[in-house]
Amino acid sequence: MTRLFNNPAAFADEALEGFAAAHRRLVRRVPGGVVRATATATAPGQVAVVVGGGSGHYPAFSGLVGQGLAHGAAVGNVFASPSAQQVHQVARAAQSGGGVLLAFGNYAGDVLHFGQAAERLTAEGVPCATLAVTDDVSSAAAGESEKRRGVAGDLAVFKTAAAAAEAGLPLAEVVRLARLANARTRSFGIAFSGCTLPGADAPLFTVPAGRMAVGLGIHGEPGLAERPVPSADEAAELLVSTLLHELPEGVESPRGQRAGVILNGLGSVKYEELFVVYRQVARLLAEAGVETVDPEVGELVTSFDMAGVSLTLFWLTDELEPLWTAPAEAPAYRKGTVVPVAAAEPSTTGEPSTTGEPSATADLDPVENTAVPEASEPSRAAARTALAALGAIEATVRAHADELGRIDAVAGDGDHGIGMRRGSEAAHAAGRRALERGAGAGTLLHHAADAWADRAGGTSGALWGVILRALGTALGDTERPDAHAVSVGVDAAADGVMRLGKAETGDKTMVDALVPFADALSDAVGGGAPLAAAWDTAATAADAAAAATAGLLPRLGRARPHAEKSLGTPDAGAVSLALIVRAVHGALAGATAKPTAESTA
């Protein structure tokens, strides 16, 4: 288990700070992550390859930043994608005029946030492309490879793209080669125990004694099946035979093929064990007629303390092989000898400030310097109620964070409680600062939305940013908010969440509680009920709908491959929404009870 930590919600930030301090010759902190620590991090006109994902997988992703590898890495919370703001900031720091390739694992939160960042970069005139790695054969059938998640095969795709960029190829060629590498990469994993998140008192999943999980993910997702624990040679045979069963398009037989090989330890399987397994992997591949090229054996993509191992085969072509074998130097990956590049000036190394002043590379509040427009007194009064609601949300999430994580861990990665806590705390703090600057209800909620999305990351961070922003837009800063305006805002929030998350009712997501809440609120307000009473009715509907998700099978997200495991357990996103809207009712009822707040309800 993870034994050394301070505040679990701050674990990812503190780990990144220590990493940058330990490797300041190679990387430097920037808002949102790290970039190369060279005088010219990216040669003028060179494509910048920016990778990223959640923390908890070191050396992915920050450990892969350096010459011949990534130009930058956006680093999210534990098992949660970085926010669009973080990705955008890292990409801006890394790019030098040749465009940007954003590469990441194929997870809903990463797809959302990296996609949003790419849209923003493109709008700013920075050519940008995205690539989601899809190498895990256990996460979807061969005919649905676009649904597969990215695991240790990330390294093969990132290395290919970065070497192509280092060679001076234009963005279109870098993207083509990265996509080719992704199409020719396959991974498969097994595990003997699950991982434990910082602060948690139990692993995300357990495996019975004498058994192993087959086809697990790297976020603590349980395997798809269980088998007896094999010998090292038997494990090698399972890994190799599974991957040889599915060859890339155009490859009819493994005989005569060349492949890059990655035998990856997931956290607790140590190097000597890996070498015992690789001994048989190498034999089996040779017997199949496969020539291995520059094999990598070690911890490349981990999952905290998970006891497991995965095998990746990267089927090479004449143009891919020199990119796989090209030299690279990063904190956690070295190959060959790179041509030394001058280091950056000391003032930009990302070292902690010794003057007491904030570091120039400290993460920035995404709304701290945003102008606050003038607001009417009725709107500022409503902003005080909105801030009280944000405070109630923060307190409720903090009280239920562990339980939300437990629910999420049944078939997912268990990070929902931590992410919701980080997001709600950031939203409340941003709202408080906005109110101190005279913000109306709309602006306060917009600031809270941006802070929640940026701080929480992950799918839920993006979706709660949508919810708060839709409410803020509906309330505005000039008119006196009423029940109708709030109902309109909630309807817009539901539409926005479904549009961004691509979820519908019945998919076992937050939507299954949000839509009934919005419908019940609209009906109650349309019937003439005051806001607090209407909200109470709608919160009751949300609570019932969230409980009913226990009977659904997930059709989206990380829980989809483990659908049967989640049956009988409600969706964590739906449960958190129901808890939150009930907490907000308390703030609304309290505001209505005050004579001066009557008009704001």
Side-chain angles (χ1 to χ4, degrees), residues 389 392-393 517 531-540 579-592:
I393 291 172
F517 173 76
L531 177 58
W535 194 281
D536 183 26
T537 299
T540 300
L579 289 169
I580 284 172
V581 295
R582 175 53 64 191
V584 170
H585 172 256
L588 293 175
T592 303

Side-chain angles (χ1 to χ4, degrees), residues 171-231:
L171 179 60
E173 271 297 282
V174 172
V175 172
R176 182 185 69 81
L177 289 164
R179 288 176 176 164
L180 178 62
N182 184 51
R184 297 180 68 87
T185 302
R186 304 285 188 276
S187 299
F188 181 69
I190 58 176
F192 314 103
S193 70
C195 61
T196 305
L197 301 185
D201 56 7
L204 292 178
F205 71 91
T206 58
V207 181
R211 307 283 289 178
M212 73 172 178
V214 178
L216 70 154
I218 60 168
H219 296 91
E221 304 99 327
L224 300 179
E226 289 181 5
R227 296 187 184 183
V229 172
S231 66

Side-chain angles (χ1 to χ4, degrees), residues 448-465:
D450 291 344
W452 190 314
D454 182 59
R455 187 64 176 160
T459 306
S460 64
L463 298 182
W464 274 99

Side-chain angles (χ1 to χ4, degrees), residues 382 441 445 467 470-472 474-475 480-493 517-518 521-522 525 531-532 534-535 584 588 600-601:
L445 288 171
I467 291 171
L471 282 168
L475 298 187
R480 175 181 287 109
D482 58 16
H484 175 71
V486 172
S487 179
V488 168
V490 171
D491 284 340
F517 173 76
L521 182 65
S522 178
V525 168
L531 177 58
W535 194 281
V584 170
L588 293 175
T600 70

